[in-house]
Amino acid sequence: MTTQETLENVEKALSEIRPFLESDGGNIKLLSIEDAVVKVQLEGACIGCSVNQMTLKNGVEATIKKYAPNIQQVINID
């Protein structure tokens, strides 16, 4: 998978996830993709949410890996 394809697939994944985050008053922004690591920033209500790490791993990371299996990890940058 090319770098451009990875970027497009990660964006597709985030588009799938975003409505769920927005319904709770949050959002997510893609910061970068370096090697096989996606760096995102949780926004709005997601910042102070006590389950944001679970959301990041079980929701965001799982969905991104579905679209871009070459991604190994998703991390939140505050």
Side-chain angles (χ1 to χ4, degrees), residues 27-60:
N27 206 343
I28 190 166
K29 178 169 64 173
L30 175 63
L31 298 177
S32 67
I33 302 172
E34 298 171 20
D35 299 317
V37 177
V38 174
K39 295 181 181 180
V40 297
Q41 186 173 49
L42 294 171
E43 299 176 330
C46 292
I47 294 170
C49 180
S50 61
V51 295
N52 70 6
Q53 288 305 309
M54 187 170 60
T55 299
L56 188 67
K57 290 294 174 190
N58 295 337
V60 177

mmCIF file of all heavy atoms in Angstrom, residues 27-60:
data_model
loop_
_atom_site.group_PDB
_atom_site.id
_atom_site.type_symbol
_atom_site.label_atom_id
_atom_site.label_comp_id
_atom_site.label_asym_id
_atom_site.label_seq_id
_atom_site.Cartn_x
_atom_site.Cartn_y
_atom_site.Cartn_z
ATOM 1 N N ASN A 27 -14.549 15.158 18.615
ATOM 2 C CA ASN A 27 -14.087 15.039 17.238
ATOM 3 C C ASN A 27 -12.681 14.459 17.257
ATOM 4 O O ASN A 27 -12.097 14.259 18.325
ATOM 5 C CB ASN A 27 -14.097 16.394 16.521
ATOM 6 C CG ASN A 27 -14.251 16.247 15.017
ATOM 7 O OD1 ASN A 27 -14.056 15.177 14.448
ATOM 8 N ND2 ASN A 27 -14.599 17.337 14.361
ATOM 9 N N ILE A 28 -12.137 14.221 16.077
ATOM 10 C CA ILE A 28 -10.783 13.682 15.955
ATOM 11 C C ILE A 28 -10.127 14.307 14.735
ATOM 12 O O ILE A 28 -10.780 14.529 13.722
ATOM 13 C CB ILE A 28 -10.804 12.138 15.860
ATOM 14 C CG1 ILE A 28 -9.393 11.565 15.992
ATOM 15 C CG2 ILE A 28 -11.492 11.672 14.593
ATOM 16 C CD1 ILE A 28 -9.370 10.074 16.247
ATOM 17 N N LYS A 29 -8.850 14.611 14.884
ATOM 18 C CA LYS A 29 -8.097 15.235 13.795
ATOM 19 C C LYS A 29 -6.851 14.392 13.533
ATOM 20 O O LYS A 29 -6.142 14.011 14.470
ATOM 21 C CB LYS A 29 -7.712 16.658 14.188
ATOM 22 C CG LYS A 29 -6.885 17.393 13.144
ATOM 23 C CD LYS A 29 -6.750 18.878 13.432
ATOM 24 C CE LYS A 29 -6.011 19.158 14.707
ATOM 25 N NZ LYS A 29 -5.734 20.581 14.924
ATOM 26 N N LEU A 30 -6.588 14.120 12.265
ATOM 27 C CA LEU A 30 -5.373 13.405 11.874
ATOM 28 C C LEU A 30 -4.211 14.388 11.881
ATOM 29 O O LEU A 30 -4.261 15.418 11.220
ATOM 30 C CB LEU A 30 -5.541 12.797 10.482
ATOM 31 C CG LEU A 30 -4.311 12.110 9.892
ATOM 32 C CD1 LEU A 30 -3.897 10.910 10.731
ATOM 33 C CD2 LEU A 30 -4.575 11.692 8.457
ATOM 34 N N LEU A 31 -3.169 14.059 12.645
ATOM 35 C CA LEU A 31 -1.979 14.914 12.691
ATOM 36 C C LEU A 31 -0.919 14.430 11.719
ATOM 37 O O LEU A 31 -0.355 15.218 10.965
ATOM 38 C CB LEU A 31 -1.417 14.968 14.112
ATOM 39 C CG LEU A 31 -2.339 15.550 15.183
ATOM 40 C CD1 LEU A 31 -1.672 15.478 16.548
ATOM 41 C CD2 LEU A 31 -2.726 16.977 14.842
ATOM 42 N N SER A 32 -0.625 13.127 11.756
ATOM 43 C CA SER A 32 0.407 12.600 10.865
ATOM 44 C C SER A 32 0.362 11.080 10.838
ATOM 45 O O SER A 32 -0.258 10.445 11.689
ATOM 46 C CB SER A 32 1.800 13.061 11.312
ATOM 47 O OG SER A 32 2.140 12.479 12.556
ATOM 48 N N ILE A 33 1.032 10.552 9.844
ATOM 49 C CA ILE A 33 1.265 9.109 9.756
ATOM 50 C C ILE A 33 2.760 8.956 9.565
ATOM 51 O O ILE A 33 3.325 9.436 8.582
ATOM 52 C CB ILE A 33 0.507 8.471 8.579
ATOM 53 C CG1 ILE A 33 -0.990 8.726 8.689
ATOM 54 C CG2 ILE A 33 0.808 6.968 8.516
ATOM 55 C CD1 ILE A 33 -1.785 8.290 7.479
ATOM 56 N N GLU A 34 3.404 8.341 10.536
ATOM 57 C CA GLU A 34 4.854 8.144 10.490
ATOM 58 C C GLU A 34 5.135 6.661 10.640
ATOM 59 O O GLU A 34 4.756 6.068 11.640
ATOM 60 C CB GLU A 34 5.530 8.951 11.598
ATOM 61 C CG GLU A 34 5.302 10.451 11.462
ATOM 62 C CD GLU A 34 5.781 11.243 12.671
ATOM 63 O OE1 GLU A 34 6.609 10.715 13.441
ATOM 64 O OE2 GLU A 34 5.315 12.368 12.831
ATOM 65 N N ASP A 35 5.815 6.108 9.667
ATOM 66 C CA ASP A 35 6.042 4.663 9.604
ATOM 67 C C ASP A 35 4.675 3.991 9.637
ATOM 68 O O ASP A 35 3.859 4.249 8.795
ATOM 69 C CB ASP A 35 6.985 4.205 10.717
ATOM 70 C CG ASP A 35 8.361 4.870 10.610
ATOM 71 O OD1 ASP A 35 8.885 4.959 9.484
ATOM 72 O OD2 ASP A 35 8.894 5.321 11.638
ATOM 73 N N ALA A 36 4.394 3.194 10.624
ATOM 74 C CA ALA A 36 3.095 2.526 10.720
ATOM 75 C C ALA A 36 2.304 3.044 11.919
ATOM 76 O O ALA A 36 1.453 2.350 12.469
ATOM 77 C CB ALA A 36 3.294 1.028 10.821
ATOM 78 N N VAL A 37 2.587 4.278 12.324
ATOM 79 C CA VAL A 37 1.931 4.880 13.481
ATOM 80 C C VAL A 37 1.120 6.095 13.044
ATOM 81 O O VAL A 37 1.641 7.000 12.402
ATOM 82 C CB VAL A 37 2.971 5.298 14.549
ATOM 83 C CG1 VAL A 37 2.291 5.982 15.727
ATOM 84 C CG2 VAL A 37 3.770 4.093 15.021
ATOM 85 N N VAL A 38 -0.158 6.069 13.399
ATOM 86 C CA VAL A 38 -1.045 7.194 13.110
ATOM 87 C C VAL A 38 -1.133 8.051 14.373
ATOM 88 O O VAL A 38 -1.412 7.543 15.457
ATOM 89 C CB VAL A 38 -2.457 6.710 12.712
ATOM 90 C CG1 VAL A 38 -3.408 7.880 12.545
ATOM 91 C CG2 VAL A 38 -2.391 5.891 11.440
ATOM 92 N N LYS A 39 -0.879 9.354 14.198
ATOM 93 C CA LYS A 39 -0.990 10.296 15.316
ATOM 94 C C LYS A 39 -2.242 11.143 15.098
ATOM 95 O O LYS A 39 -2.411 11.745 14.042
ATOM 96 C CB LYS A 39 0.246 11.178 15.409
ATOM 97 C CG LYS A 39 1.490 10.383 15.755
ATOM 98 C CD LYS A 39 2.701 11.252 15.873
ATOM 99 C CE LYS A 39 3.919 10.392 16.200
ATOM 100 N NZ LYS A 39 5.137 11.197 16.319
ATOM 101 N N VAL A 40 -3.107 11.129 16.107
ATOM 102 C CA VAL A 40 -4.355 11.873 16.042
ATOM 103 C C VAL A 40 -4.462 12.787 17.251
ATOM 104 O O VAL A 40 -3.705 12.660 18.225
ATOM 105 C CB VAL A 40 -5.584 10.927 16.005
ATOM 106 C CG1 VAL A 40 -5.567 10.058 14.769
ATOM 107 C CG2 VAL A 40 -5.671 10.079 17.263
ATOM 108 N N GLN A 41 -5.423 13.691 17.182
ATOM 109 C CA GLN A 41 -5.715 14.550 18.322
ATOM 110 C C GLN A 41 -7.214 14.487 18.569
ATOM 111 O O GLN A 41 -8.007 14.812 17.675
ATOM 112 C CB GLN A 41 -5.281 15.979 18.049
ATOM 113 C CG GLN A 41 -5.432 16.887 19.247
ATOM 114 C CD GLN A 41 -4.820 18.253 18.972
ATOM 115 O OE1 GLN A 41 -5.093 18.862 17.952
ATOM 116 N NE2 GLN A 41 -3.974 18.692 19.876
ATOM 117 N N LEU A 42 -7.580 14.019 19.757
ATOM 118 C CA LEU A 42 -8.981 14.026 20.147
ATOM 119 C C LEU A 42 -9.356 15.441 20.540
ATOM 120 O O LEU A 42 -8.568 16.144 21.175
ATOM 121 C CB LEU A 42 -9.216 13.055 21.305
ATOM 122 C CG LEU A 42 -9.002 11.581 20.967
ATOM 123 C CD1 LEU A 42 -9.039 10.726 22.228
ATOM 124 C CD2 LEU A 42 -10.027 11.094 19.965
ATOM 125 N N GLU A 43 -10.569 15.865 20.165
ATOM 126 C CA GLU A 43 -10.996 17.240 20.389
ATOM 127 C C GLU A 43 -12.336 17.282 21.108
ATOM 128 O O GLU A 43 -13.053 16.284 21.166
ATOM 129 C CB GLU A 43 -11.120 17.970 19.045
ATOM 130 C CG GLU A 43 -9.827 18.037 18.270
ATOM 131 C CD GLU A 43 -9.998 18.679 16.898
ATOM 132 O OE1 GLU A 43 -11.087 18.567 16.305
ATOM 133 O OE2 GLU A 43 -9.026 19.297 16.424
ATOM 134 N N GLY A 44 -12.678 18.455 21.603
ATOM 135 C CA GLY A 44 -13.975 18.672 22.240
ATOM 136 C C GLY A 44 -14.140 17.835 23.487
ATOM 137 O O GLY A 44 -13.224 17.703 24.297
ATOM 138 N N ALA A 45 -15.318 17.229 23.618
ATOM 139 C CA ALA A 45 -15.632 16.437 24.810
ATOM 140 C C ALA A 45 -14.726 15.222 24.959
ATOM 141 O O ALA A 45 -14.585 14.683 26.054
ATOM 142 C CB ALA A 45 -17.090 15.997 24.765
ATOM 143 N N CYS A 46 -14.094 14.798 23.876
ATOM 144 C CA CYS A 46 -13.209 13.632 23.935
ATOM 145 C C CYS A 46 -11.958 13.900 24.782
ATOM 146 O O CYS A 46 -11.359 12.974 25.307
ATOM 147 C CB CYS A 46 -12.779 13.206 22.536
ATOM 148 S SG CYS A 46 -14.112 12.551 21.534
ATOM 149 N N ILE A 47 -11.579 15.167 24.897
ATOM 150 C CA ILE A 47 -10.357 15.503 25.629
ATOM 151 C C ILE A 47 -10.455 15.074 27.089
ATOM 152 O O ILE A 47 -9.570 14.424 27.620
ATOM 153 C CB ILE A 47 -10.047 17.014 25.531
ATOM 154 C CG1 ILE A 47 -9.716 17.375 24.086
ATOM 155 C CG2 ILE A 47 -8.896 17.402 26.468
ATOM 156 C CD1 ILE A 47 -9.624 18.867 23.827
ATOM 157 N N GLY A 48 -11.543 15.415 27.755
ATOM 158 C CA GLY A 48 -11.673 15.107 29.174
ATOM 159 C C GLY A 48 -12.416 13.824 29.468
ATOM 160 O O GLY A 48 -12.639 13.488 30.627
ATOM 161 N N CYS A 49 -12.784 13.089 28.442
ATOM 162 C CA CYS A 49 -13.582 11.879 28.630
ATOM 163 C C CYS A 49 -12.753 10.790 29.308
ATOM 164 O O CYS A 49 -11.613 10.515 28.908
ATOM 165 C CB CYS A 49 -14.103 11.394 27.289
ATOM 166 S SG CYS A 49 -15.106 9.903 27.408
ATOM 167 N N SER A 50 -13.344 10.151 30.294
ATOM 168 C CA SER A 50 -12.620 9.128 31.051
ATOM 169 C C SER A 50 -12.404 7.841 30.251
ATOM 170 O O SER A 50 -11.568 7.028 30.620
ATOM 171 C CB SER A 50 -13.366 8.803 32.345
ATOM 172 O OG SER A 50 -14.660 8.298 32.035
ATOM 173 N N VAL A 51 -13.136 7.656 29.161
ATOM 174 C CA VAL A 51 -12.976 6.432 28.361
ATOM 175 C C VAL A 51 -12.294 6.705 27.027
ATOM 176 O O VAL A 51 -12.348 5.882 26.127
ATOM 177 C CB VAL A 51 -14.334 5.709 28.143
ATOM 178 C CG1 VAL A 51 -14.894 5.209 29.444
ATOM 179 C CG2 VAL A 51 -15.306 6.580 27.399
ATOM 180 N N ASN A 52 -11.616 7.854 26.894
ATOM 181 C CA ASN A 52 -11.042 8.191 25.587
ATOM 182 C C ASN A 52 -9.953 7.209 25.155
ATOM 183 O O ASN A 52 -9.791 6.962 23.971
ATOM 184 C CB ASN A 52 -10.573 9.645 25.500
ATOM 185 C CG ASN A 52 -9.361 9.980 26.328
ATOM 186 O OD1 ASN A 52 -8.732 9.113 26.925
ATOM 187 N ND2 ASN A 52 -9.039 11.248 26.381
ATOM 188 N N GLN A 53 -9.197 6.626 26.077
ATOM 189 C CA GLN A 53 -8.180 5.654 25.671
ATOM 190 C C GLN A 53 -8.819 4.363 25.170
ATOM 191 O O GLN A 53 -8.330 3.743 24.234
ATOM 192 C CB GLN A 53 -7.203 5.361 26.820
ATOM 193 C CG GLN A 53 -6.253 6.500 27.106
ATOM 194 C CD GLN A 53 -5.469 6.945 25.872
ATOM 195 O OE1 GLN A 53 -4.862 6.143 25.179
ATOM 196 N NE2 GLN A 53 -5.497 8.237 25.593
ATOM 197 N N MET A 54 -9.943 3.986 25.778
ATOM 198 C CA MET A 54 -10.662 2.806 25.299
ATOM 199 C C MET A 54 -11.257 3.096 23.919
ATOM 200 O O MET A 54 -11.190 2.253 23.019
ATOM 201 C CB MET A 54 -11.773 2.420 26.279
ATOM 202 C CG MET A 54 -12.434 1.111 25.936
ATOM 203 S SD MET A 54 -13.541 0.495 27.215
ATOM 204 C CE MET A 54 -14.734 1.810 27.325
ATOM 205 N N THR A 55 -11.810 4.288 23.743
ATOM 206 C CA THR A 55 -12.339 4.690 22.439
ATOM 207 C C THR A 55 -11.229 4.682 21.402
ATOM 208 O O THR A 55 -11.410 4.207 20.287
ATOM 209 C CB THR A 55 -12.972 6.102 22.520
ATOM 210 O OG1 THR A 55 -14.049 6.056 23.446
ATOM 211 C CG2 THR A 55 -13.462 6.578 21.169
ATOM 212 N N LEU A 56 -10.065 5.195 21.786
ATOM 213 C CA LEU A 56 -8.942 5.267 20.859
ATOM 214 C C LEU A 56 -8.528 3.873 20.400
ATOM 215 O O LEU A 56 -8.332 3.632 19.211
ATOM 216 C CB LEU A 56 -7.765 5.990 21.521
ATOM 217 C CG LEU A 56 -6.596 6.313 20.615
ATOM 218 C CD1 LEU A 56 -6.993 7.349 19.572
ATOM 219 C CD2 LEU A 56 -5.421 6.828 21.418
ATOM 220 N N LYS A 57 -8.385 2.940 21.325
ATOM 221 C CA LYS A 57 -7.916 1.596 20.970
ATOM 222 C C LYS A 57 -9.015 0.746 20.333
ATOM 223 O O LYS A 57 -8.818 0.135 19.296
ATOM 224 C CB LYS A 57 -7.369 0.866 22.213
ATOM 225 C CG LYS A 57 -6.077 1.448 22.722
ATOM 226 C CD LYS A 57 -4.965 1.244 21.726
ATOM 227 C CE LYS A 57 -3.709 1.954 22.160
ATOM 228 N NZ LYS A 57 -2.691 1.981 21.125
ATOM 229 N N ASN A 58 -10.179 0.683 20.966
ATOM 230 C CA ASN A 58 -11.235 -0.220 20.502
ATOM 231 C C ASN A 58 -12.022 0.338 19.327
ATOM 232 O O ASN A 58 -12.529 -0.424 18.515
ATOM 233 C CB ASN A 58 -12.192 -0.557 21.638
ATOM 234 C CG ASN A 58 -11.525 -1.335 22.746
ATOM 235 O OD1 ASN A 58 -10.521 -1.989 22.544
ATOM 236 N ND2 ASN A 58 -12.076 -1.244 23.942
ATOM 237 N N GLY A 59 -12.147 1.638 19.236
ATOM 238 C CA GLY A 59 -12.912 2.234 18.152
ATOM 239 C C GLY A 59 -12.037 2.742 17.033
ATOM 240 O O GLY A 59 -12.086 2.245 15.906
ATOM 241 N N VAL A 60 -11.221 3.716 17.354
ATOM 242 C CA VAL A 60 -10.418 4.390 16.333
ATOM 243 C C VAL A 60 -9.375 3.449 15.735
ATOM 244 O O VAL A 60 -9.311 3.272 14.515
ATOM 245 C CB VAL A 60 -9.754 5.661 16.910
ATOM 246 C CG1 VAL A 60 -8.859 6.313 15.879
ATOM 247 C CG2 VAL A 60 -10.814 6.643 17.408
#
